[in-house]
Amino acid sequence: MNARALLKDMFDAAIASAQPDHCVPPHLPAPGSGRTIVIGAGKASAAMARALERHWPGPLSGLVVTRYGYAVPCERIEIVEAAHPVPDQAGLDATRRMLALVQDLDPDDTVICLISGGGSALLPLPLDGITLADKQAVNRALLASGATISEMNCVRRHLSGIKGGRLAAACHPARVVTLLISDVPGDHPSDIASGPTVGDPSTCADALAIVKRYGIALPAAVREVLESGRGESVKPGDPRLARCETRMIATPQMALEAAAAVARDAGITPYILGDAIEGEARDVGKVMAGIARQVAAHGQPFATPCVMLSGGETTVTVRGRGRGGRNVEFLLALGLALEGHAGIHALAGDTDGVDGQEEIAGAVLAPDSLARAWALGIKPADALQDNDGHGFFGALKDSVVTGPTLTNVNDFRAILVLD
């Protein structure tokens, strides 16, 4: 069996299951009697807009913002590109224009909001008194802190002029239908792009607690917004949200099930361990290695051959100077703990095609990966200590490069245990 090819086929199937052309059309609302305005943000938003255009029976207009390199041509919806994961001026300008588009709507109008992972950085409108530079500084600190995506988005919601339900409130009294592609553990709508169209039960006090927990230094203006309560978000039950609905159109679980089908077709029994696994990437890798070893040695809890699939979003507390990547950090830790076990192969990657800040989706781990690294003079433990998973697997030519996938259902991990 070609283990590498099977792993790659499963990853490709996971990505294909969340392609907007596949998952947008069944969830489109019926046209209303008024205008149809399309807005949105995320790594998949441009592809979602194109799928909507192809299947929408009437007139529409709008604007969505996506990551640089993720635009696709649309005829009626304007596509703007901006920076991710650290926001830039292009994202700020696009966010202001988006808010202007939904001013002065009436009850007959329909707003279709296309939201996917990455939208938090792509909609960086700060509250009054906070600058874009302030938000960039906070974003960088959060990304390096080891905070979970839910914690990061809680802070972001309370510094934003558009997140935490504020975009939906601006659309009132129009009908708002939000189509969501989830990239977060638990699929909570308030965490996907920091919930611009849903009520947010968290508070400024919650955001401050997170900042304290991770020792994040805040610019003075940011601290004032949180401590004064001026950054409070729109809460569930707000009358301005009465005509808002959300439709979850693609999730990590759906992607894992698509991968599982590929494994079954190849005669390998799949086991989905969870679609919302979090924690430090290297710790998750070590735990998964222990499970894989038990499977290989004792057929517990699963008989071989099998593949263990999981999703979610691990984190990396950055201490080294390497090229990063939470999926490759997971794989490197997994490989060190497996110590070259002959029957175990793995792939880990981000379904958006970008692991960390590299244009690399992830990598493949083989039984001989450590040996090949040592032969090149690379010390795997040193690479892990330096947060240099991308450097490690790049040197082995084991990186997985997909290019922009135009979707995002978070991390994908597959550990293949053969007889």
Side-chain angles (χ1 to χ4, degrees), residues 108-306:
D108 293 329
D109 296 329
T110 299
V111 176
I112 302 177
C113 190
L114 308 174
I115 295 294
S116 62
S120 288
L122 296 166
L123 295 174
L125 180 67
L127 287 170
D128 290 344
I130 301 176
T131 67
L132 177 60
D134 289 336
K135 291 208 71 174
Q136 290 170 330
V138 172
N139 224 42
R140 289 190 184 97
L142 286 167
L143 288 166
S145 70
T148 68
I149 189 63
S150 180
E151 290 170 327
M152 286 192 277
N153 284 348
C154 176
V155 176
R156 289 163 169 165
R157 285 194 295 272
H158 294 92
L159 305 178
S160 174
I162 195 168
K163 304 181 181 89
R166 294 179 180 90
L167 178 57
C171 296
H172 179 76
R175 179 192 185 199
V176 180
V177 179
T178 302
L179 306 187
L180 294 167
I181 293 181
S182 173
D183 73 323
V184 298
D187 303 329
H188 301 298
S190 62
D191 279 333
I192 304 168
S194 299
T197 60
V198 296
D200 170 34
S202 69
T203 66
C204 286
D206 294 327
L208 279 168
I210 291 164
V211 167
K212 182 178 180 180
R213 185 178 308 146
Y214 292 97
I216 295 170
L218 294 179
V222 171
R223 183 167 291 280
E224 184 277 328
V225 163
L226 295 179
E227 290 181 344
S228 69
R230 195 160 59 82
E232 210 50 80
S233 49
V234 178
K235 301 308 176 192
D238 189 295
R240 294 171 294 175
L241 306 182
R243 301 191 66 210
C244 297
E245 65 173 293
T246 59
R247 303 181 182 186
M248 197 72 66
I249 68 172
T251 66
Q253 177 67 20
M254 296 175 191
L256 294 174
E257 289 172 356
V262 170
R264 287 190 199 94
D265 288 345
I268 303 293
T269 304
Y271 296 94
I272 296 176
L273 303 184
D275 69 342
I277 293 175
E278 299 180 85
E280 281 286 327
R282 62 180 64 190
D283 295 338
V284 175
K286 189 179 297 185
V287 170
M288 292 287 191
I291 297 171
R293 280 180 171 277
Q294 184 73 7
V295 170
H298 304 291
Q300 297 171 331
F302 314 122
T304 59
C306 69

Side-chain angles (χ1 to χ4, degrees), residues 63-75:
L63 180 152
V64 303
V65 57
T66 193
R67 188 180 192 269
Y68 288 119
Y70 281 60
V72 297
C74 290
E75 296 178 1

